[in-house]
Amino acid sequence: MEVTSKYIVIKTSIDGKPQESDFEMKTQPFSLSLKPGSKDIIIKNLYLSIDPYQINRMKTVSASQKASEFSIAISPGEVIDAYGVGKVVASGNPEFQENDYVVGLISWGEYSTSQGSMLSKLDPMGFPLSYHVGILGLSGLTAYAGFFKVCKPKKGEKVFVSTASGSVGNLVGQYAKHFGCYVVGCAGSSNKVKLLKEKLGFDEVFNYKEETDLNSTLQRYFPDGIDIYFDNVGGKMLEAAISNMKSHGRVALCGVISEYTNAEKRATPDMINVIYKRITIQGFLAGDYMSLFPEFVTTTVDHLRTSKMNVLEDVSVGLEGLPSAFVGLFRGDNIGKRIVQVSQI
Amino acid sequence: MEVTSKYIVIKTSIDGKPQESDFEMKTQPFSLSLKPGSKDIIIKNLYLSIDPYQINRMKTVSASQKASEFSIAISPGEVIDAYGVGKVVASGNPEFQENDYVVGLISWGEYSTSQGSMLSKLDPMGFPLSYHVGILGLSGLTAYAGFFKVCKPKKGEKVFVSTASGSVGNLVGQYAKHFGCYVVGCAGSSNKVKLLKEKLGFDEVFNYKEETDLNSTLQRYFPDGIDIYFDNVGGKMLEAAISNMKSHGRVALCGVISEYTNAEKRATPDMINVIYKRITIQGFLAGDYMSLFPEFVTTTVDHLRTSKMNVLEDVSVGLEGLPSAFVGLFRGDNIGKRIVQVSQI
């Protein structure tokens, strides 16, 4: 059986802030049955993770960067791979059966084809499928591994999280609170501030857009200094955080969204501070911590079942809204995990 | 017995590059005998360590910075404490006896008074006393701890050292070579380049003053990337090194001399690189690794006795030349450990 499959592409490379007009929807004939002997898996895409880091793959890059192991460039006009949840339509791979739910690398489209190496069978464990894109998926693992393995927290330590209402930041704050840390977040609207304090239990949250001197702001919230800074934003906030770190403080670099679309905004941290305070700044990717997945899922499922953690999701419906959902990330439109539901089950 | 003791002070705080005219020599009457009941130690200063970091203590600072545990500000007109080797003239402290050699915190002057907490008895072990200021002293420990504990090297890894002819850099390069790494250094003159390659065994050394694009330079010396960057300089070199790191690369921040006297020169490293390559940037101070001192000394003494390590010293004689020796550090005048010999034994 052949269908017409819609998918989203970039029209050209994107080097500044993305606009909806940078994207277009294309269609292609797509066969839902396998050729004899094929080992492919054909997937109907259900939920797609919408992540800021994808912009780094959309930039104009040199040949050497294209070959980089770290971030495979997305070419204009081509299918864009992305993390998500889908359902198997047909499979020539004995590990996957028709109607299995799967999670892993699918694509910004209605259907995906996979060889299975970046895909896992998914047991929803009674939770909504969308949870497996966010809190029980890579966003969750990023927060869990980044906080527990990169930041190496001790109970009672003072933690600062930027983009605290984002997909990862809100989870870091919740893990840190349950672990016994003092947690301050920053976000970009009064709604987000209220939500993080009242619903997620952050000790303090401030709206960075209302602050004129981030250095003083952080001094006010951390009069004795910051032990752990979980950075999702980079730029001036990273500089201010480094100026306010305690001795032996740790900075986990998860993302630097303010720098993704404008290299002019790069942080110029005071490295004299980094030396005298013996600060560690560590970049990390969740992919290095896949062995932690079972522990992370067990802990997080337990927190969800005992209502110790809250889920912040921002789900829009329909592939055609994907460009808008993606572009909005860079305006801070999302509250929590941004997800596009491509299709009903 | 009372003598006239000469000492060096700063006339005012120093915020840019230091000039000799920023310093002056003062004298004070100084008693070489102790008051009855005193537990002090009176020391005749012999060799003084001349270190760039002292400039950070000479800057105009706020009250809160003055109270910092990291770097106690030096006030104009007052005695400046510094690492060095001396000889005990009189002691009310039972741990120290007259004529003992000591190493630790003494001062930029002819004599020092100590309570003993920042002082150790010194066994020269048959080596020149000056070695205990440099290669067998804090510079050595800084190189040893920084390389082995902060950089966590593996045999065969590719190491880049900036200010490679400096007091710490030259030792890092030598430790790294003996450990089995590939070592590239940079320095600021053809003499230094020659010395590092021919005498100290660096694999490659370049004169950074002859390079116009540090990024390309490092690409040339490290076509497959840098595993370890031991940074003594900060600024543009740090940026270029980060751009050329391998995955899971480690940057040990030992000093950022290019930024000490000019905050405009601060590095703006590409944090996207730090994330995708999972780079760790770690500031450190040798003071945190004092427990490593016995191991460091044993290893280094063995290397010296078997002529596996070379000593690069730059010793000038006379306290009156100290300001010039210090100021010259910021022009890169020194080759190896800069030391002022205050007095004959």
Side-chain angles (χ1 to χ4, degrees), chain B residues 256-323:
Chain B
V256 287
I257 191 170
S258 75
E259 304 181 22
Y260 288 169
T261 56
N262 188 349
E264 299 290 307
K265 293 204 171 169
R266 277 185 196 166
T268 56
D270 183 352
M271 295 299 182
I272 300 177
N273 249 315
V274 176
I275 296 170
Y276 280 96
K277 297 188 188 172
R278 296 85 105 197
I279 296 169
T280 302
I281 303 170
Q282 189 176 347
F284 76 99
L285 296 176
D288 288 335
Y289 297 91
M290 293 310 288
S291 62
L292 207 64
F293 211 93
E295 173 192 323
F296 143 68
V297 167
T298 303
T299 305
T300 310
V301 161
D302 183 63
H303 284 346
L304 284 171
R305 292 203 170 127
T306 55
S307 299
K308 280 168 78 179
M309 281 182 89
N310 282 288
V311 180
L312 283 193
E313 279 185 341
D314 179 335
V315 184
S316 59
V317 178
L319 191 65
E320 56 287 342
L322 195 154

Side-chain angles (χ1 to χ4, degrees), chain B residues 218-232:
Chain B
L218 291 179
Q219 254 168 23
R220 203 164 69 234
Y221 286 103
F222 296 95
D224 302 320
I226 301 168
D227 292 293
I228 289 171
Y229 174 41
F230 194 101
D231 188 19
N232 295 300

